């Protein structure tokens, strides 16, 4: 049991009304109202992305039917422990979000759940406790609303999983109409719906799945639409848990969240989104790793130290063809193991390969640098960072999975200015020097350091608060 739960039980034995039964919170006759409220809370579990079986389910069901024969004090304590677990899950998430590297050691703990439960029972405000503990940010509310809709549709008497095989968009495609209804795009399964309306609704579905909105049932669109409602609910529940988990840390400070499947960056603070930027994340062969860390510095006109795999697999073949010309065209320097700059004309490039490459390639700063004019640095073991890029056209794609694992940010400059507002004008002046690259990078410390979470969520609200479903690009939800 959680240590707060142990403390609460000691406190709770001091409560109820005035006799032996007063040591219990839920079973005495005078506690009927709160007991029923607790059961009503548990009954809402599925709509909250939780599992009702996690909260003293057997004891609750026996109490409802009057068949419980166990010791009443023990049962009362079990209900108290279940109540603490339930409200803790509502406030903080059912489990911690999985990340490959945790540089924050973040554990949500911004509310005293045990004490709030005790006080709500003592003050007769138990009916308000759920609303008090739930996050109120628009993203959370949007996901919760979508869960309610999909849960309702999946419980309808005539519900069944639907598979669309035809690419025809007209009233003869009954599975299409059924699926659009299940997804909440149509309000009814009327098989007389006209083609114009159906194409409009297909475009709405394409928007939901981040596709070109042309009203055409292409293979990729069909693949996304054929994912079952049960799977979508699983993705929504996972995302709801994540927003609960993040709620404490974003209450009092700005927090960067990069969602990999969405290829998007969000700067949250409290219940607001301060910035949204399209991003480019790792392709399937070179994935971006989920992690948590802190932005500690902004580097203007950064060098790019080329990762070993990129240097040997992608650049070395081109260098061998014309070493000096290739390196000069890309503005690369060659460094030895001590960091000394070497003359590329003195190196026997033909003798080098993936297993024999005792050099480091470094791209000089400037507007053509692969990192662009700005890099946001944070410690992690994967050499991952946020950075600008000169290749802006890639941001126009809906599916932005092109990088080697780092994260290119379309609005990197605006993000940096929000992180260090006192340096915003200085950053702007440096950006305007793009045609005159600095000889050395300019480092601007970020104080206080800003938490950054790189997460993997298929379901995620966009900056307008609309829930979207993205490609499970790395197959983590399959």
């Amino acid at each position: 049991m959680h240590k707060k739960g142990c403390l609460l039980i000691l406190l709770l034995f001091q409560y109820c009304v005035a006799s032996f039964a007063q040591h219990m919170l839920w079973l005495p006759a005078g506690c009927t109202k709160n007991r029923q409220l607790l059961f009503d809370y548990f009954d809402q579990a599925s709509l909250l992305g939780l599992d009702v079986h996690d909260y003293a389910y057997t004891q609750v069901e026996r109490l409802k039917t009057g068949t419980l024969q166990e010791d009443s004090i023990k049962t009362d304590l079990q209900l108290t422990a279940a109540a603490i677990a339930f409200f803790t899950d509502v406030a903080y998430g059912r489990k911690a979000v999985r990340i490959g590297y945790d540089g924050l050691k973040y554990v949500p703990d911004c509310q005293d759940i045990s004490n709030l439960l005790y006080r709500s029972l003592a003050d007769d405000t138990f009916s308000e406790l759920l609303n008090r503990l739930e996050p109120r940010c628009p993203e959370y509310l949007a996901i919760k609303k979508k869960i309610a809709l999909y849960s309702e549709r999946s419980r309808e008497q005539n519900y069944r999983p639907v598979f669309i095989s035809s690419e025809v968009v007209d009233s003869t495609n009954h599975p299409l109409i059924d699926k659009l209804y299940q997804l909440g795009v149509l309000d009814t399964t009327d098989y007389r719906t006209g083609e114009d309306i159906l194409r409009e609704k297909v475009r709405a579905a394409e928007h939901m799945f981040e596709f070109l909105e042309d009203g055409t049932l292409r293979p990729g669109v069909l693949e996304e639409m054929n994912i079952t409602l049960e799977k979508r609910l699983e993705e929504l529940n996972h995302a709801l848990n994540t927003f609960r988990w993040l709620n404490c840390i974003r209450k009092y400070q700005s927090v960067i969240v990069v969602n990999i499947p969405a290829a998007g960056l969000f700067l949250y603070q409290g219940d607001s989104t301060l910035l949204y930027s399209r991003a480019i994340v790792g392709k399937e062969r070179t994935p971006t790793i989920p992690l948590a860390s802190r932005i500690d510095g902004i580097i203007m006109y950064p060098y790019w130290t080329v990762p070993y795999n990129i240097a040997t697999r992608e650049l070395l073949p081109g260098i061998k063809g014309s070493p000096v010309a290739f390196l000069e065209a890309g503005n690369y320097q060659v460094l030895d193991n001590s960091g000394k700059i070497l003359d590329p004309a003195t190196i026997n490039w033909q003798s080098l390969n993936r297993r024999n490459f005792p050099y480091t390639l470094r791209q000089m700063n400037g507007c053509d640098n692969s990192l662009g004019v700005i890099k946001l640095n944070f410690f992690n073991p994967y050499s991952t960072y946020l950075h600008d890029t000169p290749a802006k056209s890639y941001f126009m794609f809906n599916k932005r999975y092109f990088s080697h694992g780092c994260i290119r940010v379309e609005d990197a400059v605006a993000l940096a200015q929000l992180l260090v507002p006192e340096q915003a004008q200085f950053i702007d002046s440096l950006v305007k020097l793009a045609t005159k690259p600095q000889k050395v990078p300019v480092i601007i410390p970020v104080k206080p350091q800003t938490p950054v979470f790189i997460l993997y969520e298929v379901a995620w609200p966009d900056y307008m608060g609309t829930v979207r479903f993205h490609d499970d690009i790395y197959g983590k939800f399959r």
Side-chain angles (χ1 to χ4, degrees):
M1 181 182 296
H2 194 285
K3 63 181 180 180
K4 289 185 179 177
C6 297
L7 174 61
L8 176 63
I9 290 171
L10 293 175
L11 292 171
L12 294 181
F13 271 111
Q14 303 170 16
Y15 176 71
C16 224
V17 197
S19 66
F20 170 76
Q22 297 158 6
H23 291 291
M24 297 187 292
L25 291 172
W26 314 105
L27 298 186
C31 298
T32 303
K33 174 185 173 183
N34 285 334
R35 182 173 69 246
Q36 186 57 51
L37 277 172
L38 181 64
F39 293 172
D40 290 344
Y41 281 142
F42 290 166
D43 286 342
Q44 297 178 52
S46 64
L47 298 179
L48 296 165
L50 303 173
D51 187 345
V52 67
H53 296 88
D54 290 339
Y55 310 108
Y57 181 77
T58 300
Q59 289 83 353
V60 169
E61 290 304 304
R62 288 179 178 175
L63 283 168
K64 287 180 178 179
T65 59
T67 60
L68 186 68
Q69 302 297 323
E70 298 176 19
D71 177 79
S72 57
I73 295 178
K74 177 182 177 183
T75 301
D76 201 275
L77 293 177
Q78 289 172 329
L79 291 178
T80 298
I84 294 169
F86 175 81
F87 289 112
T88 299
D89 291 348
V90 164
Y92 301 146
R94 184 167 169 267
K95 54 187 176 182
V97 175
R98 289 179 298 175
I99 48 181
Y101 167 74
D102 184 3
L104 293 176
K105 307 301 179 187
Y106 163 63
V107 177
D109 190 22
C110 56
Q111 303 193 75
D112 190 336
I113 306 296
S114 300
N115 188 55
L116 287 171
L117 173 60
Y118 170 70
R119 294 301 174 193
S120 72
L121 293 169
D123 299 341
D124 196 25
T125 58
F126 187 48
S127 62
E128 303 169 12
L129 185 58
L130 178 65
N131 187 59
R132 182 173 180 180
L133 288 173
E134 275 195 287
R136 305 307 301 170
C137 62
E139 301 85 12
Y140 176 89
L141 298 177
I143 296 171
K144 187 181 173 185
K145 183 177 180 181
K146 186 73 77 173
I147 289 174
L149 174 63
Y150 286 3
S151 297
E152 178 186 351
R153 299 269 160 109
S154 67
R155 288 195 301 266
E156 292 181 355
Q157 187 173 4
N158 60 348
Y159 170 77
R160 72 190 192 290
V162 175
F163 182 82
I164 308 169
S165 58
S166 172
E167 297 182 4
V168 174
V169 182
D170 62 26
S171 59
T172 66
N173 194 346
H174 292 186
L176 170 63
I177 294 172
D178 291 341
K179 176 61 77 168
L180 290 173
Y181 172 74
Q182 291 180 2
L183 291 172
V185 179
L186 278 174
D187 295 327
T188 179
T189 54
D190 184 353
Y191 298 141
R192 299 167 298 174
T193 304
E195 181 179 341
D196 289 345
I197 293 176
L198 278 179
R199 288 202 180 275
E200 176 188 339
K201 298 305 182 181
V202 169
R203 283 193 288 270
E206 288 169 332
H207 177 78
M208 185 188 303
F209 300 129
E210 202 81 20
F211 281 101
L212 175 67
E213 298 166 30
D214 61 358
T216 303
L217 291 178
R218 299 180 305 282
V221 177
L222 283 175
E223 183 179 353
E224 288 296 319
M225 292 187 70
N226 280 330
I227 291 176
T228 65
L229 218 53
E230 290 79 7
K231 190 69 173 178
R232 292 304 185 195
L233 279 167
E234 178 186 333
E235 294 163 356
L236 289 165
N237 291 341
H238 198 277
L240 198 71
N241 181 82
T242 295
F243 274 103
R244 287 183 174 130
W245 184 72
L246 288 170
N247 193 50
C248 283
I249 198 168
R250 64 183 274 187
K251 270 182 179 293
Y252 309 109
Q253 61 184 313
S254 57
V255 175
I256 295 171
V257 175
V258 176
N259 184 11
I260 296 168
L265 179 148
F266 303 81
L267 180 63
Y268 296 125
Q269 183 168 353
D271 293 339
S272 300
T273 301
L274 303 183
L275 175 77
Y276 164 72
S277 175
R278 290 181 290 193
I280 293 168
V281 297
K283 50 196 169 188
E284 192 171 359
R285 290 189 296 105
T286 54
T288 300
I289 307 298
L291 60 86
S293 189
R294 292 187 184 275
I295 303 288
D296 54 30
I298 295 166
I299 305 174
M300 304 295 298
Y301 297 99
Y303 296 134
W304 179 42
T305 301
V306 182
Y308 186 87
N309 283 341
I310 298 177
T312 57
R313 295 182 181 184
E314 300 183 22
L315 299 186
L316 183 56
I319 296 172
K320 286 183 176 181
S322 182
V324 175
F326 184 96
L327 293 168
E328 286 184 353
N331 203 17
Y332 292 106
Q333 293 177 328
V334 184
L335 285 65
D336 65 15
N337 290 331
S338 67
K340 179 183 176 182
I341 299 173
L342 305 175
D343 180 354
T346 64
I347 297 172
N348 182 4
W349 293 98
Q350 302 305 322
S351 67
L352 303 178
N353 54 52
R354 295 182 188 177
R355 294 176 296 279
N356 174 34
F357 192 81
Y359 305 108
T360 296
L361 298 183
R362 183 176 72 182
Q363 190 175 41
M364 295 297 290
N365 50 17
C367 57
D368 292 330
N369 181 288
S370 294
L371 304 186
V373 298
I374 193 166
K375 169 185 172 183
L376 289 83
N377 199 55
F378 51 91
F379 178 79
N380 65 91
Y382 314 115
S383 298
T384 299
Y385 35 81
L386 308 174
H387 66 89
D388 182 30
T389 175
K392 305 292 186 183
S393 61
Y394 286 98
F395 291 113
M396 301 307 296
F397 288 84
N398 285 339
K399 315 292 182 179
R400 298 182 293 276
Y401 316 118
F402 301 117
S403 84
H404 291 85
C406 280
I407 300 157
R408 308 173 202 167
V409 182
E410 184 175 31
D411 296 319
V413 173
L415 175 61
Q417 290 175 319
L418 286 170
L419 297 185
V420 283
E422 70 281 2
Q423 298 283 0
Q425 188 172 356
F426 177 55
I427 291 172
D428 187 58
S429 67
L430 289 176
V431 171
K432 290 176 180 177
L433 295 174
T435 55
K436 298 179 180 179
Q438 309 296 297
K439 291 183 179 180
V440 294
V442 178
I443 300 175
I444 303 171
V446 176
K447 295 181 180 180
Q449 296 178 358
T450 302
V452 57
F453 294 90
I454 300 174
L455 306 177
Y456 193 97
E457 297 288 345
V458 171
W460 199 257
D462 62 20
Y463 67 98
M464 298 293 289
T466 302
V467 176
R468 315 284 283 273
F469 295 97
H470 304 278
D471 277 354
D472 183 8
I473 183 66
Y474 305 155
K476 293 182 178 290
F477 280 81
R478 292 172 190 162

